[in-house]
Amino acid sequence: NIEHVFLAALSFSYFSKALSGTIMKSSITQIERRFDLTSSTAGFVDGSFEMGNLLVIAFVSYFGAKLHRPKVIAVGCFTMALGCFLSAMPHFFMGYYKYETTSHTAASANLTSIISPCSLHQDVNDTVLEVSRSGCEKEPSSYMWIYILLGNMLRGIGETPITPLGISYLDDFAKEENVPVYVACLHTIAMMGPMFGFLLGSLCAKLYVDIGFVDPGSITITPQDSRWVGAWWLGFLIGGATSFLSAIPFCFLPRSLKKPEEASKDKTSHSLLESMGATRNKLSPEKPKPRKWSLILKGKYFCNSLKKVLGNRMYFTFLCCSLLQFSGFIGFLTYKPKYMEQQYGQSTSKSNFLIGMTSLPPVGIGIFLGGLIMKKYKMGIIGATKFSFIMSFLSYAISLLHFFVGCDNYVVAGMTVSYEGNPILYHNNSLFSECNSHCKCASNTWDPVCGANGITYVSACLAGCTTSTGHGKNTVFHNCRCLQINSSWSGNTSATLGQCPKSNDCSMNFIYYTVIQVIGGFCYALGATPSYMLIFRCVQPELKALAVGLYTLAMRMIAGIPAPVYFGAAIDKTCLKWGSTSCGKQGACRLYDSNAHRYVFLGLGAILRGPSYLVGIIFYILIKKQFQNKNCRPLENGQEDAAMNEEDNCKIKEHLPGCSDVENESSI
């Protein structure tokens, strides 16, 4: 059955686009560190996907329906593959990753004992500065992140035809009662993409960025370190290969299929589909083509269609609702791994693993169950609207619990606590104290050590350590004078590489956070399929691809592109300690104020989503006024469909904060 073959091919293409998109999301922290970017710049790189989508979405959605849809989708998949390969390219043209450290000269000298961080720093300070300055002008990595931006943009262009053309193709040639189940199956399978993507991102984050080329014993950082960069490029290569394979089946599928005969006989609900004969005919007859193409190229049909879609006030109301929803969702998803790392002290690898294993499966189950519920109860417009709205609002209410399960700041001497261990407000000059005054330490270097007293120091030098033993990750610093300042501490004065872990209470809060995520994601996903189906019944049959395209266009342009940037800019404001590049310029952030980070990150999302429900209530009132005295069961007759057209239009917007992408993203 070619219909099922197309469904399988489309499902795999959904899987591949979700996989490569998730690889970008799971790698954004690694890219930020590797290229020394701020969070706002990293958000701009992430938003380039939406820019690529924006360039062609209107054209593809409208004119693509007049072309050979399977082949257009194939071209899109090949383009996605090219974008993934381009994103991975910078790794192969850059030198090895050089993280900031104060002990690299010791390793190069093969010294394993009696090393004084203080005297070492003083002796080589000038030399190190000269070497780093001389290498600055030749540093090739400064703008290599632009290739990732261009690759992500290319991937956005390639992804464009898959959703509008793929689902409209299914909707045109499948039995009407099967479409909701097909869409549910499609998105359920697609949910495997983010799941595998985060698991792949977890695996890559465990591997050092220059794996195979650098001696693991010489690396002094671990995956828990804020300077660690995993093999981010490997995920893009795998995603590119998957996208390439997904394109092949579409090259051999027909331009159109025959509608099952029983679809036009068994139920009165199919009378609407019969009225869509013009839509079907334009795919087969040869006569109308020349005339239609001439009108299309003149823009007459497009302008008229645009007016019809945008003239629907309920469609517009729901569009506003969705813009607010999607802005909050896309910002939350983009920086969710970073939030888990900074708030709960998780490694990038563990964050990605937990997202893939705990957040996504409930979402996939919820989406599928939503489709079954819609079919079983034969939801009408009002019923589907109400169900979607309730599920979304319940998810929002549950998400507010995140504010109560955060963790306190890392205990860092001179930044979050004084050297005596008392909480302080952050000031640049507080990094220096009497205990490290005998060492001329650099204040802009981040090479943390964990004291035996449970306090983290920005570097061994700032901890006042005078000797060290061991090498690589096993280096231990001794006689650290700053540990002796704390009168309540009478133990040894040694320190080890890396930050001190967060408290056990924080570990428990992380479990609560995960549970909240699972429940909230499941509730939201339950209403995703009913709301998604509404957009196709909301406008005239021949305009459904355009309606989806315009909706997606607005989401990309007004929400998808700017949201990661302003979320990133807000997160940057909570940074306590910026890293330094080899040239002495500002690098990626190494330490955030956990409390400020939590309130800014979660609060911004809540502020954006909250008003959307007020708009949603207005939308529901408009729908109820117009349809409460009518039989709201979908597709009962041609007239009702026109009415339904409008209400669905609005409906779909509500729960779709971004079509298929949003379903995945928001629920996570």
Side-chain angles (χ1 to χ4, degrees):
N1 189 320
I2 297 181
E3 177 185 315
H4 293 160
V5 172
F6 181 84
L7 178 63
L10 188 62
S11 296
F12 188 56
S13 68
Y14 260 62
F15 171 85
S16 64
K17 78 182 180 71
L19 175 68
S20 56
T22 306
I23 288 170
M24 170 58 74
K25 297 292 184 188
S26 65
S27 303
I28 197 70
T29 302
Q30 313 289 309
I31 292 170
E32 184 178 321
R33 295 172 182 172
R34 181 65 181 94
F35 297 91
D36 289 308
L37 305 177
T38 61
S39 292
S40 56
T41 304
F44 178 68
V45 172
D46 183 69
S48 62
F49 173 86
E50 320 292 345
M51 298 177 199
N53 232 269
L54 183 62
L55 292 174
V56 295
I57 184 66
F59 179 85
V60 169
S61 295
Y62 185 75
F63 297 112
K66 324 297 178 189
L67 304 174
H68 192 303
R69 283 179 281 186
K71 287 188 177 178
V72 173
I73 294 174
V75 172
C77 291
F78 283 128
T79 305
M80 280 199 304
L82 182 61
C84 286
F85 293 139
L86 181 62
S87 294
M89 192 182 71
H91 172 74
F92 300 98
F93 292 93
M94 297 170 65
Y96 296 151
Y97 173 52
K98 297 176 183 177
Y99 52 88
E100 56 181 318
T101 177
T102 58
S103 58
H104 63 281
T105 50
S108 64
N110 291 321
L111 299 176
T112 59
S113 63
I114 317 178
I115 297 175
S116 172
C118 298
S119 60
L120 172 65
H121 185 81
Q122 286 177 305
D123 294 342
V124 303
N125 187 41
D126 295 335
T127 305
V128 171
L129 286 176
E130 284 181 21
V131 172
S132 63
R133 283 171 184 160
S134 65
C136 282
E137 297 177 2
K138 300 177 183 179
E139 180 57 55
S141 64
S142 303
Y143 296 100
M144 291 293 280
W145 57 269
I146 293 176
Y147 287 97
I148 301 179
L149 183 147
L150 294 176
N152 204 32
M153 184 180 292
L154 200 58
R155 192 172 60 79
I157 292 174
E159 185 263 0
T160 305
I162 296 176
T163 295
L165 300 188
I167 295 187
S168 66
Y169 188 92
L170 268 183
D171 196 48
D172 282 345
F173 303 115
K175 290 182 182 179
E176 194 65 29
E177 68 268 20
N178 288 338
V179 175
V181 178
Y182 283 170
V183 171
C185 290
L186 189 64
H187 292 303
T188 301
I189 294 173
M191 285 305 303
M192 300 296 289
M195 193 169 153
F196 277 91
F198 278 112
L199 293 179
L200 179 60
S202 173
L203 175 63
C204 293
K206 279 185 183 178
L207 306 175
Y208 188 64
V209 60
D210 296 314
I211 183 173
F213 297 94
V214 173
D215 176 19
S218 66
I219 302 171
T220 60
I221 56 177
T222 64
Q224 283 74 33
D225 198 291
S226 60
R227 294 165 293 169
W228 176 271
V229 174
W232 59 272
W233 51 273
L234 184 58
F236 284 106
L237 293 181
I238 296 173
T242 305
S243 295
F244 184 86
L245 292 176
S246 71
I248 297 175
F250 291 105
C251 297
F252 304 99
L253 288 167
R255 180 187 181 113
S256 61
L257 301 175
K258 287 185 179 180
K259 185 80 174 178
E261 291 182 5
E262 63 269 25
S264 60
K265 298 177 182 178
D266 293 347
K267 295 186 179 181
T268 57
S269 64
H270 297 316
S271 61
L272 171 65
L273 295 178
E274 292 179 358
S275 72
M276 292 163 59
T279 306
R280 308 277 187 268
N281 292 338
K282 69 185 174 189
L283 296 174
S284 50
E286 297 298 326
K287 293 197 253 179
K289 280 186 184 176
R291 182 175 61 82
K292 286 192 174 183
W293 270 106
S294 64
L295 290 173
I296 289 168
L297 294 176
K298 288 177 184 176
K300 180 180 178 181
Y301 278 11
F302 182 77
C303 291
N304 289 338
S305 300
L306 198 61
K307 289 178 182 177
K308 288 180 182 178
V309 173
L310 294 180
N312 187 323
R313 64 176 181 173
M314 285 186 289
Y315 182 99
F316 185 78
T317 302
F318 208 93
L319 186 62
C320 295
C321 176
S322 294
L323 285 172
L324 292 169
Q325 286 267 329
F326 190 43
S327 294
F329 284 137
I330 192 66
F332 180 79
L333 181 66
T334 301
Y335 297 105
K336 182 178 179 181
K338 175 191 277 289
Y339 179 75
M340 293 169 70
E341 294 166 39
Q342 295 297 329
Q343 188 68 212
Y344 300 102
Q346 305 297 319
S347 67
T348 303
S349 175
K350 187 175 180 181
S351 297
N352 288 328
F353 177 81
L354 289 173
I355 292 173
M357 291 305 293
T358 63
S359 295
L360 296 177
V363 171
I365 295 171
I367 290 175
F368 182 71
L369 288 179
L372 293 181
I373 291 172
M374 184 181 182
K375 182 177 181 180
K376 181 175 180 179
Y377 294 99
K378 299 179 181 177
M379 285 186 184
I381 298 171
I382 294 179
T385 303
K386 190 186 299 183
F387 182 72
S388 297
F389 182 88
I390 291 173
M391 290 296 103
S392 179
F393 186 76
L394 182 60
S395 172
Y396 174 70
I398 292 173
S399 70
L400 297 179
L401 295 175
H402 286 150
F403 285 99
F404 305 101
V405 292
C407 293
D408 292 331
N409 282 318
Y410 279 105
V411 182
V412 183
M415 303 190 77
T416 61
V417 298
S418 66
Y419 279 85
E420 289 78 19
N422 303 315
I424 60 169
L425 295 175
Y426 172 64
H427 299 289
N428 283 322
N429 59 5
S430 63
L431 284 175
F432 299 101
S433 174
E434 281 188 28
C435 63
N436 54 36
S437 59
H438 64 294
C439 305
K440 294 183 180 178
C441 307
S443 62
N444 63 342
T445 301
W446 178 257
D447 192 14
V449 295
C450 177
N453 59 355
I455 295 178
T456 298
Y457 298 87
V458 173
S459 67
C461 181
L462 287 168
C465 304
T466 56
T467 62
S468 68
T469 57
H471 66 283
K473 297 184 184 71
N474 299 318
T475 302
V476 179
F477 301 92
H478 303 283
N479 301 322
C480 304
R481 291 177 55 181
C482 291
L483 273 71
Q484 300 171 350
I485 289 187
N486 190 338
S487 58
S488 64
W489 179 251
S490 58
N492 67 59
T493 56
S494 62
T496 55
L497 285 173
Q499 291 174 249
C500 296
K502 291 206 172 185
S503 65
N504 291 331
D505 288 342
C506 185
S507 299
M508 283 304 301
N509 283 341
F510 181 64
I511 294 175
Y512 299 145
Y513 166 85
T514 304
V515 171
I516 292 170
Q517 281 291 289
V518 169
I519 298 174
F522 177 76
C523 289
Y524 182 88
L526 272 177
T529 299
S531 64
Y532 186 73
M533 286 306 303
L534 291 171
I535 197 169
F536 298 106
R537 310 290 179 245
C538 205
V539 293
Q540 296 175 11
E542 66 272 14
L543 298 177
K544 57 191 171 186
L546 179 61
V548 177
L550 288 174
Y551 173 77
T552 308
L553 176 68
M555 295 302 105
R556 306 290 191 200
M557 182 169 61
I558 305 175
I561 295 175
V565 177
Y566 59 71
F567 263 82
I571 290 172
D572 285 337
K573 295 294 184 182
T574 67
C575 184
L576 293 179
K577 179 64 178 175
W578 290 97
S580 299
T581 66
S582 58
C583 300
K585 296 180 181 178
Q586 178 180 293
C589 185
R590 304 302 187 195
L591 181 70
Y592 292 88
D593 182 330
S594 294
N595 292 321
H597 190 186
R598 178 170 73 255
Y599 292 124
V600 165
F601 178 65
L602 298 177
L604 186 53
I607 289 172
L608 286 169
R609 288 184 64 190
S612 72
Y613 294 104
L614 298 178
V615 179
I617 291 172
I618 295 173
F619 167 75
Y620 178 72
I621 292 173
L622 291 174
I623 278 197
K624 198 169 181 182
K625 274 186 180 179
Q626 185 163 355
F627 299 102
Q628 63 182 345
N629 295 324
K630 300 181 181 180
N631 180 0
C632 297
R633 204 159 287 238
L635 304 182
E636 286 296 337
N637 56 59
Q639 286 184 329
E640 242 174 45
D641 179 59
M644 202 178 117
N645 253 351
E646 296 201 15
E647 51 173 90
D648 291 340
N649 221 7
C650 320
K651 285 232 55 202
I652 172 156
K653 307 324 181 147
E654 155 156 10
H655 244 266
L656 244 193
C659 280
S660 61
D661 290 338
V662 175
E663 287 176 26
N664 297 341
E665 299 178 31
S666 61
S667 37
I668 300 174

